[in-house]
């Protein structure tokens, strides 16, 4: 593994999870909760053993299955957000990810897909998310997702947006400052701060592919 990857994907020191380099996601890479099974080895036939097919709704009102429709065989950029984010990080990060989308050009929506999942689905409906996405002039290939609270919590933990400290983990704002980047086909994943420069994030996505 080259030093460039270590630098790019090791910049998550301020995150709830430890700094990560590109690797197969699993219990050594993400501090999963005790009741969370590890992902199957690369090449296994049923990846839904780790990522479930929970049903979410996009900001355009489309029903999608989390693994089969959103993640399977794709390169993905995923973050968590709150429309009512009290510390202001969510709109700043959304604007930064919009710059990432522009930097990646027409690959977004073709082989790279972006997902922003609300951790407050009781308030952030698909209608609210559509208005939010429109305010940032979000282009194709980027979906804002809402779904049942229980399913959202499962996916949040599966992606590593969690803390083993219950006091920290119950605060939703603690889960909104990072982005998870993954290449499902190669089973390679990393996490990095969402406020790194758009160029750095775009470079990490391209390097992962």
């Amino acid at each position: 593994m080259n030093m460039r990857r270590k630098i790019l994907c090791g910049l998550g020191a301020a995150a709830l999870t430890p700094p990560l380099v590109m690797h197969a996601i699993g219990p050594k890479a993400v501090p999963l909760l005790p009741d969370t099974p590890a992902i199957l080895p690369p090449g296994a036939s049923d990846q839904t053993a780790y990522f479930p097919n929970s049903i979410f709704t996009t900001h355009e009102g489309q029903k999608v299955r989390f693994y089969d429709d959103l993640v399977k065989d794709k390169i993905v950029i995923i973050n968590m957000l709150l429309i009512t984010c009290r510390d202001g990080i969510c709109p700043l990060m959304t604007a930064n990810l919009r710059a990432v989308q522009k930097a990646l050009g027409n690959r977004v929506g073709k082989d790279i897909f972006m997902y922003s999942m609300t951790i407050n689905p009781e308030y952030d409906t698909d209608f609210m998310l559509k208005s939010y996405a429109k305010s940032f002039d979000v282009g194709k290939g980027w979906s804002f997702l809402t779904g049942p609270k229980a399913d959202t919590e499962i996916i949040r933990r599966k992606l590593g947006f969690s803390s083993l400290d219950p006091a920290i983990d119950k605060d939703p704002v603690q889960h909104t400052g990072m982005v998870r980047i993954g290449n499902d086909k190669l089973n390679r994943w990393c996490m990095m701060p969402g406020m790194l420069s758009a160029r750095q994030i775009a470079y990490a996505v391209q390097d992962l592919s």
Side-chain angles (χ1 to χ4, degrees):
M1 183 180 297
N2 61 43
M3 184 58 65
R4 181 176 58 192
R5 289 177 180 166
K6 292 182 179 179
I7 292 172
L8 282 173
C9 292
L11 289 173
L16 297 173
T17 53
L20 302 178
V21 294
M22 293 184 179
H23 47 56
I25 191 170
K28 291 184 179 179
V30 183
L32 301 174
L33 298 182
D35 60 346
T36 305
I39 196 168
L40 295 177
S45 60
D46 186 11
Q47 294 289 353
T48 56
Y50 186 82
F51 286 126
N53 263 325
S54 303
I55 303 298
F56 288 87
T57 305
T58 73
H59 67 286
E60 296 177 329
Q62 181 182 5
K63 298 292 184 182
V64 291
R65 297 167 295 177
F66 182 78
Y67 181 71
D68 282 354
D69 295 331
L70 302 181
V71 176
K72 187 176 181 181
D73 294 334
K74 295 179 175 67
I75 300 165
V76 297
I77 305 169
I78 306 173
N79 74 295
M80 313 298 289
L81 63 75
L82 290 160
I83 290 180
T84 55
C85 191
R86 65 175 181 262
D87 65 357
I89 185 64
C90 292
L92 292 174
M93 198 161 91
T94 302
N96 196 45
L97 290 176
R98 180 65 179 103
V100 172
Q101 185 183 38
K102 290 180 179 178
L104 291 171
N106 60 12
R107 289 191 66 186
V108 179
K110 184 178 180 181
D111 66 322
I112 297 172
F113 295 84
M114 301 174 67
Y115 306 117
S116 294
M117 179 181 293
T118 178
I119 46 180
N120 185 20
E122 295 92 340
Y123 178 81
D124 297 344
T125 63
D126 56 328
F127 177 80
M128 297 292 292
L129 291 172
K130 183 175 183 178
S131 178
Y132 183 84
K134 185 177 179 180
S135 70
F136 288 92
D137 191 28
V138 166
K140 67 176 184 178
W142 186 353
S143 296
F144 289 72
L145 308 170
T146 187
K149 182 68 174 180
D151 291 337
T152 299
E153 284 296 290
I154 291 172
I155 297 300
R156 177 174 71 82
R157 287 176 168 81
K158 295 285 189 178
L159 290 169
F161 294 103
S162 61
S163 172
L164 296 179
D165 182 337
I168 296 175
D169 195 61
K170 71 179 182 180
D171 180 4
V173 175
Q174 297 293 328
H175 311 305
T176 57
M178 303 293 290
V179 291
R180 173 69 77 180
I181 303 169
N183 183 328
D184 177 69
K185 195 169 186 178
L186 298 180
N187 198 21
R188 299 172 66 205
W189 297 78
C190 73
M191 179 174 273
M192 60 199 311
M195 289 306 295
L196 286 178
S197 74
R199 181 180 178 183
Q200 286 176 296
I201 296 174
Y203 186 85
V205 174
Q206 291 170 333
D207 202 40
L208 193 71
S209 62

